[in-house]
Amino acid sequence: EYGVCENLRKLEITGVSCRDVYAKLLHRYRHILGLWQPDIGPYGGLLNVVVDGLFIIGWMYLPPHDPHVDDPMRFKPLFRIHLMERKCATVECMYGHKGPHNGHIQIVKKDEFSTKCNQTDHHRMSGGRQEEFRTWLREEWGRTLEDIFHEHMQELILMKFIYTSQYDNCLTYRRIYLPPSSPDDLIKPGLFKGTYGSHGLEIVMLSFHGKKAKGTKITGDPNIPAGQQTVEIDLVHPLQLPDIENLRDFSELSRVVLEVQEQVRREEQEQEHRQEEEDRSQQAASQPAAKPLGGEGAEGEETAAGAEGTTQDKAPASQPFVLPMGVISRNEDYPRTCRICFYGTGLIAGHGFTSPERTPGVFVLFDDDRFGFIWLELKSFSLYSRIKVSFQNAEAPSREAFDEMLKNIQSLAT
């Protein structure tokens, strides 16, 4: 049931029975297995709790060092649970550099739990906060502060260290699920690493919702916090990019995108007008059966079929791609061909998630594992690469459960 393959008979020499392992460890802590997002303000995170032999371990997954988006994920243990003696399971905090020490886990409810370190002095270093910061910087960014010449980036890094280190591994976690997939999806949904300018690499969940695809932040930053929808892709409106020479001209790409934005705006207005007309006709009708043919249901089906035909039947095998002049990219090693592009919107905001607004952009699908997004207003480009980790106990029990989870993490972020 839990994938434990050890010879459990050896345990009985130490006085721990198979029944103890099952009842006091595996069954007792079954609710914390799976994927979780820690409540660390705007920064979030990704935790996977798994059974590993006769231990239950919480692994925190971290993106590779900026800007190497194709590198594998990094991970470190935050806590572990095991049977040291027959009485009960032992929880140990793994945070810091002095080895395992006493911790505590409280299961608040089925989809929420919290961890607490009972010996936070184990997290301290002899060199004080400066040594702790230098060590954290090497682990988090793979460099020293002197290597980072951008003053704004230095401020963001220092702010993140001060904010996150205050938690001392005393955290609350909320369950998240991997997105369910469908044969009609453009690519397989899942988790991706993406470049976010001075904020470094962040984790984004790509999911499909009929005529739209959504990118939700699992890790975030002070501008757009974890839980917010960073990009939205309009699968009904593919973009025909200019030829490769004209694509280098930012104004030409901008013209193409803004034309589609205007088209989307007109269609939304027409849809609202039709909805108002339909509402009036329903109010006037004596019976629901008087609803005219060609209403919302029929029209929605026709549009969905049209969208499917557009995204799949008419998509070319590949086309040349290059970023327009003036568009900033953290990673210049992006693919030079793409499959298809769509109109989309990206969420931007001031520090502290002030004045958020959705701005036009271009979703660029490179292959099954990589996509990009051109932020028109910011003149910047984000490159995303699939996280190729087989997370355990992470599947959503239903589409409804996944949608509810997305709503919950977004409302918490707001």
Side-chain angles (χ1 to χ4, degrees), residues 10-251:
K10 292 179 183 177
L11 281 175
E12 304 196 4
I13 300 171
T14 62
V16 179
S17 69
C18 299
R19 182 183 293 271
D20 290 331
V21 173
Y22 183 83
K24 297 176 181 178
L25 179 68
L26 302 177
H27 187 72
R28 179 182 175 187
Y29 288 100
R30 68 195 184 281
H31 289 315
I32 72 168
L33 299 177
L35 273 184
W36 302 85
Q37 186 183 48
D39 183 9
I40 313 179
Y43 298 105
L46 182 66
L47 181 89
N48 191 207
V49 184
V50 299
V51 176
D52 187 351
L54 297 174
F55 289 83
I56 291 176
I57 303 180
W59 295 98
M60 181 71 88
Y61 278 80
L62 307 166
H65 294 139
D66 178 62
H68 308 293
V69 72
D70 284 325
D71 284 1
M73 295 286 284
R74 300 172 295 125
F75 51 92
K76 63 179 182 181
L78 287 195
F79 62 83
R80 70 181 186 184
I81 315 167
H82 59 122
L83 288 180
M84 292 293 287
E85 54 188 29
R86 192 167 183 175
K87 290 179 184 176
C88 60
T90 300
V91 177
E92 292 179 321
C93 175
M94 305 288 285
Y95 192 76
H97 298 267
K98 294 183 180 177
H101 46 283
N102 188 22
H104 175 73
I105 284 179
Q106 181 180 2
I107 301 175
V108 182
K109 48 189 176 182
K110 187 178 178 183
D111 292 327
E112 187 176 314
F113 77 97
S114 60
T115 57
K116 181 182 179 184
C117 176
N118 295 332
Q119 294 176 284
T120 54
D121 56 304
H122 278 63
H123 307 168
R124 306 283 78 85
M125 290 185 169
S126 56
R129 293 288 274 176
Q130 285 191 336
E131 185 186 356
E132 291 168 22
F133 175 61
R134 285 195 298 269
T135 304
W136 175 86
L137 190 59
R138 281 197 303 272
E139 293 175 352
E140 184 88 3
W141 290 84
R143 61 184 88 172
T144 66
L145 200 62
E146 291 73 29
D147 296 332
I148 301 165
F149 302 111
H150 198 292
E151 190 175 333
H152 179 56
M153 197 169 179
Q154 289 182 347
E155 291 172 359
L156 290 170
I157 289 170
L158 187 57
M159 185 190 310
K160 184 173 183 179
F161 170 73
I162 293 169
Y163 192 98
T164 57
S165 62
Q166 69 181 329
Y167 284 89
D168 259 339
N169 211 22
C170 300
L171 295 166
T172 298
Y173 298 87
R174 295 182 180 86
R175 185 181 296 281
I176 57 176
Y177 299 115
L178 292 177
S181 60
S182 158
D184 296 331
D185 293 340
L186 197 61
I187 57 171
K188 183 182 177 183
L191 296 171
F192 291 78
K193 304 152 281 182
T195 55
Y196 278 87
S198 299
H199 297 296
L201 298 189
E202 298 184 11
I203 301 172
V204 168
M205 177 184 287
L206 180 70
S207 56
F208 291 90
H209 308 262
K211 302 170 191 175
K212 295 189 181 298
K214 297 178 181 179
T216 304
K217 282 196 173 188
I218 301 302
T219 63
D221 54 65
N223 291 81
I224 307 297
Q228 288 295 338
Q229 189 183 311
T230 174
V231 294
E232 183 174 281
I233 302 102
D234 188 336
L235 300 173
V236 181
H237 292 92
L239 285 176
Q240 183 60 51
L241 293 179
D243 60 66
I244 199 70
E245 287 306 316
N246 286 325
L247 183 55
R248 296 180 189 277
D249 182 356
F250 179 80
S251 61

Side-chain angles (χ1 to χ4, degrees), residues 335-348:
R336 292 315 196 260
T337 60
C338 66
R339 287 185 188 172
I340 192 169
C341 299
F342 290 93
Y343 170 77
T345 57
L347 186 62
I348 64 173

